[in-house]
Amino acid sequence: MSLRSQVTGFMEALLRKKQVEEELDQELRSYLEMATEQKVRAGMPLEEAKRSARIKFGGVDQVKERVREVGFEIRVESVLRDILYAFRVLAKRPGFTAVVVLTLALGIGANAAIFSVVDAVLLKPFPYEDADRLVQVQTGWQSGVYGPVSTPEYFDYKEQSGSFEGLALYRGLSVNLAIDSDNPERVGGVQASTELFQVLSTDPMLGRTFDPDDGIPGANRVVLLSYQTWRLKLGADPGAVGREVRLEGLPFTVVGVMPDDFYFPNRSTEVWVPLAVDPERAGARGAHNRQVIGRLKSGVTLSEAQAEMAAISARLVAEYPENYPEGTGFTAKVRPLREPIVENSRPAVLALMAAVGFVLLIACANVASLFLARGAARERELALRAALGAKRSRLVRQLVTETLVVALLGGAAGLVLALAGVEALRLLDPGDIPGFAEIGIDLRMVAFTFALTLATGLLFGLVPAVQATRSDPNNSLKEGPRVSGLNFARRVRGSLVVLETAVALMLLIGAGLMVRSFLELVRVDSGLDPRQVTAASVSPSAGRYTNDEQIGRFYETLLDDLRNQPGVEEAGAVSVLPFSGSREDIPFGVEDHPTPSGEPGPSAEGRVVAGDYFTALGIPLVRGRFLEVTDTAESPEVVVVSQSVAEQYWGSVDVVGKRIKLWSSDYDGPWKTVVGVVGDVHHLGLDQEFPPIIYYPHKQPNWGSRSMTVVLRASGDAAPMRGLIAQRVLAIDSEQAVYNVKTMEEYMRESTAQTRFSYWMLSLIAVLALVLAAVGQYGIVAQSAASRTHEIGIRMALGARKRGIFDLVVREGLSLVMIGVVLGLLGASFLSGLMSTLLFGVDAMDPWTYGLLSVVLIVVALAACYIPACRAMRVDPMVALRYE
């Protein structure tokens, strides 16, 4: 827009304001004259009528209302004029506008995409009424780790507590589900006490939930189905209630279908069945294998409920000292329902959100720098408008409107980038992050993006606007834009370079440490050989296999059949596969290491194995022998232990021939002889310590395992073995389901999926920050060099060499970068304590990472300074001296 048109628009606004004031004065006089005339006709003296009209007549209020209406119209018209003016100004600088919009779009889009993860994992409310009053009750010991409760403890809490509207007991299931004559499928389920749905305060879509009679031992078998199971497996049959399905080979009657948005405890749950619990036969007090969910009474706080449960726990310790030995620190913990679900994922998700927040900060610094430079260039225009009567607040409003328009354009583009980012996130494999499957674009994400856009616009727009309007109009009109306010703008831009550099280096160091940590992780020796190994889980249904002998024959027949198949070298089975994410702790006693009275005994991971499990997985034999087919119910009971168990309890002594026993509060088994020691295996993950493991044979009396994972070692490619296992299982028994069919390498890859996702996401964010910082450094150095064109011309006219001009520009830019590097190193070292929990095998203060990435950033900064420096040394002195 030309200066002439700006002045014309300003004068039109003044005339419009005067016209509106005259109209209001005329309306006010008309109302008062009308009111006075009415009162005089009624017989009131003229002067008294005038006073009364001014005080009592409602026309005054109407005039005031009209004043407010017209004032609002003026304000709306003024805002619209500001917006249109902003679009015209931005359209005249398309390059500037495009750079600003793209910079903001990258920062806002990255934040919006990661917010969708934060929202789905940490913020999105559960589909239950008053979900903030739902809690989980867990038990813990001196270690501070909290977990399941036992059934007797559940009844104690239910009877003695007064803080809850209700408590429900439940446990997770994995069952074979068959509809009509279809082949069974393995599905996730929950077995819960009948109070569960009252505690959740959720009604079914069809039918009913559990009745109290459903929880009586021996009652009819009933089942609730999820909406997805009803839709996909029953064809959305409206008459599904009353139909019969088969779980574990047994008939169950469908009594209800839950709503589409309902899930508990996670979205993989497809069936709910009643848990028959009898207070008189509740089982062992030490069998902590159930979960408890409760709903707090209205007005009861979490801390009040916690205090009550701690008091109940203290009474239980005093009443049952044999179950809770003194000094073990047994207690109950009341936790918000979400906390136990997301506690493992929360640090990584929040780290990503903090990282993209830093990226947005860099983007805002870049844009603020561009607007500072642009404000300096427009100083003469703003001074002229001020000289014509425009107030400073009016000019600030105009400039902030321009920044908000740019921010909204950047926010809209960022939302488009966020859509693409969310789709890309869905394609990644983040591992078992609760709620990750629900990420997407919804009103919450759009609202977040809009709020972030407005905040960003104000953040990068207000300071440049205030600075651009603070100059004295007289000086600005005399001196021009390159003199007034130049030093302040240069100092601010320099500070922004320092900020961008420091933040970018902090992100680079964080990403570098995590990438190095991941590389260290994947180099860890797992303790087994996953190559050419395929695994598949099988669980003989309870309706057809009712005892350990029948289950043992099923697996023996299956493994013998698989060994005879072409391409199979070894075949075995185990109750809990390494890297499957499951575990099974068992307490045990060592014959020559008695546990002191009052102290908890040792525990280890328990594994039931069958066939050639050790050789199939490549677990080495350290001493003695493996478990063999001759280890049956008729032979002496034996076990094999991992090397960590042998070293912890017997040191360098030969453990073959030593004895241990498995036990619990209601089970005290016979002594079992150790016949072999095998190598340690990283069971839960490569980043975990070697767990102590005790292996016992499937054919001997033990705690047994119905569900087993079959492992095959192939002589060639493992892929064809996937179909072979399912084929042979169905050949033996067509009513059994085969599930979790994967290669062992896939299991190991999935065990590091969440870590790998976090590491690479942070790396991408750090690279984005580096690019934005480089762009910002380039822009600021280029602006600084351009603003010194006159100075450079004088230097060159006085004999300065081109190399000296080049060094001057580079030195100025690099000095700011070096300050930023120092601050970035200090910031990264300050955050190292927070990062240490996310690292593996790498020191959070690793000097190689700090040094190498600092050099990388300095090299990028040099590259960013190179082009402005080359441009500066090519300045023609004659042109530069005529620049003013």
Side-chain angles (χ1 to χ4, degrees), residues 360-374:
L360 183 60
L361 182 61
I362 294 175
C364 288
N366 283 352
V367 175
S369 173
L370 292 172
F371 270 93
L372 275 170
R374 189 165 172 275

Side-chain angles (χ1 to χ4, degrees), residues 168-200:
L169 188 71
Y170 70 95
R171 69 185 183 100
L173 294 175
S174 180
V175 295
N176 293 333
L177 169 65
I179 307 294
D180 298 328
S181 59
D182 295 342
N183 290 332
E185 295 182 37
R186 197 70 176 177
V187 300
V190 164
Q191 189 177 28
S193 60
T194 56
E195 300 91 347
L196 175 64
F197 295 97
Q198 283 72 38
V199 170
L200 296 176

Side-chain angles (χ1 to χ4, degrees), residues 78-79 120 253 284 289 295 319 365 368 408 415 419 513 651 668 741 774 842:
S78 178
V79 170
T253 301
N289 52 12
R295 177 177 289 273
E319 188 174 353
L408 289 172
L415 190 58
L419 288 169
L513 289 172
D668 190 3
V741 184
V842 178

